[in-house]
Amino acid sequence: MHGPASSGWLLVALCAVTGVYCLARMRGGAEGRRSAAGGEALMGFGMAAMAVPAAVFTPPAWAWPVYAAVFGAAGVHALWAVRAGVHHLHHLVGAAAMVYMSVVMAGSPGHAHGQGGSGVPLLTGALLLYFAGYVLLTGVRLVPVAAVAGGAGPAGWGDRPELARACRLSMAIAMVAMLLTL
């Protein structure tokens, strides 16, 4: 990732913690939720790996095509999951963005992630608009509403939909930051 090392480390921490929480969410719930949590964990860890500052570690040339293949497979899985619900389209867009960033990084001179301005401006802009809109919409959805009296009891920390939304929100914010530095 381009940019200062301190922001890179903050993105690494944010995405890694999000990935760990998503792995924990995989332990419970219905199959569809576990699958979505697994895809989000993959996205979180992949974004954390991409955000490591270039001064610390520059991935070898073969790493970017591997990232593209892994997230391409995740995109195919998300495309298949869309038949179960349109909310999987967000996973598809996220996987496509990761493939795009991997391809751009593979094509940048010397395969270092310290080079700037190598993405397609129109595509980068479209992805930025999508993720910025997603951040705003998800942020509004996280605004607390009055609790319904007599609910089904307290949910476990892994079964709380607002925490899952907060994970998606943090990854979307990180995606905006990564696309801005592309």
Side-chain angles (χ1 to χ4, degrees):
M1 194 188 99
H2 317 290
S6 59
S7 61
W9 285 119
L10 288 172
L11 280 175
V12 168
L14 174 71
C15 294
V17 167
T18 300
V20 168
Y21 175 72
C22 290
L23 279 179
R25 279 183 31 229
M26 286 181 65
R27 294 182 52 161
E31 174 60 32
R33 285 186 187 162
R34 284 195 306 265
S35 176
E40 291 163 3
L42 174 68
M43 186 71 66
F45 290 129
M47 290 173 67
M50 279 186 156
V52 173
V56 175
F57 176 72
T58 301
W62 57 264
W64 300 116
V66 169
Y67 285 158
V70 166
F71 287 104
V76 169
H77 182 267
L79 185 61
W80 180 255
V82 166
R83 64 187 173 87
V86 294
H87 64 278
H88 291 285
L89 285 174
H90 174 69
H91 295 140
L92 179 62
V93 173
M98 293 295 284
V99 169
Y100 169 66
M101 288 190 293
S102 299
V103 168
V104 168
M105 298 313 286
S108 62
H111 302 289
H113 45 289
Q115 311 294 326
S118 53
V120 178
L122 186 62
L123 184 53
T124 303
L127 288 170
L128 277 168
L129 282 174
Y130 172 80
F131 283 106
Y134 186 85
V135 165
L136 293 173
L137 183 64
T138 304
V140 167
R141 287 182 178 167
L142 280 174
V143 173
V145 294
V148 176
W157 63 272
D159 296 327
R160 299 182 61 172
E162 69 274 11
L163 290 177
R165 255 189 226 123
C167 281
R168 290 184 202 106
L169 175 66
S170 64
M171 285 193 291
I173 291 169
M175 189 68 80
V176 167
M178 292 174 77
L179 285 166
L180 282 173
T181 60
L182 193 62

